[in-house]
Amino acid sequence: MSLATVGAVVLVLCIVAYAMSHATDSDVDLHDPEIFQERKNLYRNKRDDFRRNFRAMEELREWKAKNDDYDYVELSSGMIPPNLVGKATGSKPFAKSDTWFSEFESHNPSSLILSESQDSYIIGNLASYDKRQYPEFKPGENTPEGQGFGHCLVIPRKRIFNVVDPDATANHSAMLKEMKEHFITFWKTEDGSPKLLRRVRSTFDEQNTKLASNDRNAESCESLRSTLIKDFDMLSNSFLRCNPDDFEFAFHAYPANSVGHLHMHVFPKNSDLRKFSTKSHDWKTIPIEAVLEVEEEDSRALVEWGSG
C-alpha cells in the first residue's frame, strides 16, 4: 500500500470518527454567538489547511482542467464512483474527473434544475426530508435525508470544488453572494415556492413508494404512510409562508463534504420544519455569513498589514 493510499485511509477514518463524535439529532442554533464564532474558526482552519496542502492544490488545478488521466487522491472521495465512469445518466457519459454536480445539465434530467442564472443552478434534492422514510438508518447517524423540509442546493455552473477553493471567495466572494441572491430571487417569483414544493413532493412520493416496496407488513406501512402524508401537508403550508430570511444558506467545508463540487445548502431555520429531518450534519454546517465575515476580516487584516 502506497504512502498516499495510507494517508487517504487515515484521513477518511479521522473524518468518520469526528463526524460520529459530533453527530447529534438535537437543534443547533448556528447563529448563536458562540456557535457562530466556532463555525468561523472551522471555516478559516479548513480553508487554510486546504490551501497549504500542495497535493490538494495541484489536484484542484488538474480537476478544473478536466484531466481524466490524472491520479486523484485528495479530491477522489468527492468524485463519482469508478464504476460509473463511461456510463450516462443524462446526455453525456461520466468521465473520471466528474462529480455528481459538475456539468450538471449534461448528467441530470432537466426536471432537477429548478432555476438557472448565468452563474448558477438551483437544484432539487434527491433525498426526502423525512428520516422516517429511511428506517434502515439509525437516528443521529449520517443518514440520507435532507436537513429540513424543502432542502435544496445552489451550485455554480463552472468547476469550483468547495467553499475552501480560492475561486469560491474570489472577487470579494462574488460567487457565494450570487448563489444566495439567486435563491432569494427565485423564491420571490410567483412560481418559486410552488416549484420547489412540487420537487419536494416528487421526492417524498418516490421514497414512499420505495418504503412500501421494502416493507413486508402492508398494514404498518399504510399506517406510516398516512402519518407521513398528513405531516407533509401540515409542513407544506408552513413552508409556503417562509420569507427569504427564514432560510439557512450554508456549506460543508472540505474534507467533510460529500460531493466535490461547491454546493450551498438551503433549508428552513424553523425547528418545526426540521423536526423530521436529520441534524447529524449540523456539526459541520457553516452559514454563509460566517464565511463572508472571515473573508472580510482577513482582507482587512491583509490591507492593514500592508500599510503598517
Side-chain angles (χ1 to χ4, degrees), residues 147-179:
Q147 288 186 258
F149 189 95
H151 182 177
C152 65
L153 305 165
V154 186
I155 63 173
R157 285 174 176 260
K158 70 176 185 178
R159 287 197 172 200
I160 299 179
F161 171 67
N162 184 260
V163 71
V164 300
D165 182 336
D167 284 345
T169 49
N171 301 317
H172 304 287
S173 304
M175 177 57 73
L176 303 188
K177 294 174 182 176
E178 191 279 339
M179 291 164 67

Side-chain angles (χ1 to χ4, degrees), residues 157-301:
R157 285 174 176 260
K158 70 176 185 178
R159 287 197 172 200
I160 299 179
F161 171 67
N162 184 260
V163 71
V164 300
D165 182 336
D167 284 345
T169 49
N171 301 317
H172 304 287
S173 304
M175 177 57 73
L176 303 188
K177 294 174 182 176
E178 191 279 339
M179 291 164 67
K180 179 179 178 180
E181 188 58 35
H182 183 181
F183 179 84
I184 292 173
T185 301
F186 164 75
W187 186 257
K188 288 180 176 179
T189 62
E190 183 177 355
D191 192 44
S193 54
K195 191 172 186 179
L196 178 51
L197 182 59
R198 288 194 295 271
R199 180 64 244 174
V200 175
R201 181 73 200 222
S202 176
T203 306
F204 174 78
D205 287 343
E206 288 172 6
Q207 193 57 36
N208 266 347
T209 300
K210 293 178 184 177
L211 184 64
S213 65
N214 292 334
D215 194 331
R216 297 178 182 177
N217 189 328
E219 185 176 342
S220 65
C221 181
E222 183 56 35
S223 175
L224 173 59
R225 183 174 177 274
S226 176
T227 300
L228 293 171
I229 292 174
K230 179 181 178 181
D231 289 336
F232 181 96
D233 292 339
M234 176 189 67
L235 294 176
S236 294
N237 293 328
S238 179
F239 180 67
L240 291 174
R241 292 195 295 269
C242 285
N243 294 312
D245 289 343
D246 296 326
F247 288 93
E248 194 72 73
F249 303 90
F251 304 93
H252 299 156
Y254 172 88
N257 58 311
S258 56
V259 178
H261 186 102
L262 177 64
H263 51 286
M264 181 173 69
H265 297 269
V266 183
F267 56 89
K269 298 176 184 177
N270 188 319
S271 59
D272 288 340
L273 287 168
R274 301 191 67 206
K275 66 187 296 185
F276 302 120
S277 302
T278 185
K279 311 292 174 56
S280 62
H281 303 299
D282 285 9
W283 66 272
K284 62 178 180 178
T285 300
I286 304 172
I288 187 173
E289 294 85 358
V291 175
L292 297 180
E293 279 196 20
V294 167
E295 292 299 322
E296 290 169 4
E297 290 170 1
D298 290 0
S299 179
R300 285 198 303 270

Side-chain angles (χ1 to χ4, degrees), residues 54-188:
F54 175 80
R55 176 63 190 255
M57 294 301 289
E58 178 183 289
E59 291 187 15
L60 184 65
R61 289 190 292 271
E62 298 299 329
W63 176 71
K64 292 186 179 188
K66 303 181 183 180
N67 187 347
D68 296 319
D69 297 319
Y70 190 84
D71 184 19
Y72 297 95
V73 176
E74 297 287 344
L75 309 190
S76 62
S77 63
M79 296 180 179
I80 62 160
N83 64 306
L84 288 182
V85 173
K87 297 180 180 179
T89 56
S91 61
K92 182 180 177 182
F94 283 116
K96 179 182 176 182
S97 67
D98 283 332
T99 72
W100 291 114
F101 296 160
S102 54
E103 291 74 56
F104 189 84
E105 70 286 353
S106 298
H107 301 300
N108 295 276
S110 59
S111 60
L112 285 180
I113 300 177
L114 304 177
S115 177
E116 56 183 285
S117 70
Q118 182 177 344
D119 298 309
S120 61
Y121 292 122
I122 299 175
I123 61 175
N125 200 333
L126 287 177
S128 176
Y129 72 93
D130 200 320
K131 59 190 174 187
R132 294 172 297 179
Q133 292 180 300
Y134 300 92
E136 66 272 28
F137 290 89
K138 296 179 181 179
E141 291 187 352
N142 194 25
T143 49
E145 74 274 4
Q147 288 186 258
F149 189 95
H151 182 177
C152 65
L153 305 165
V154 186
I155 63 173
R157 285 174 176 260
K158 70 176 185 178
R159 287 197 172 200
I160 299 179
F161 171 67
N162 184 260
V163 71
V164 300
D165 182 336
D167 284 345
T169 49
N171 301 317
H172 304 287
S173 304
M175 177 57 73
L176 303 188
K177 294 174 182 176
E178 191 279 339
M179 291 164 67
K180 179 179 178 180
E181 188 58 35
H182 183 181
F183 179 84
I184 292 173
T185 301
F186 164 75
W187 186 257
K188 288 180 176 179

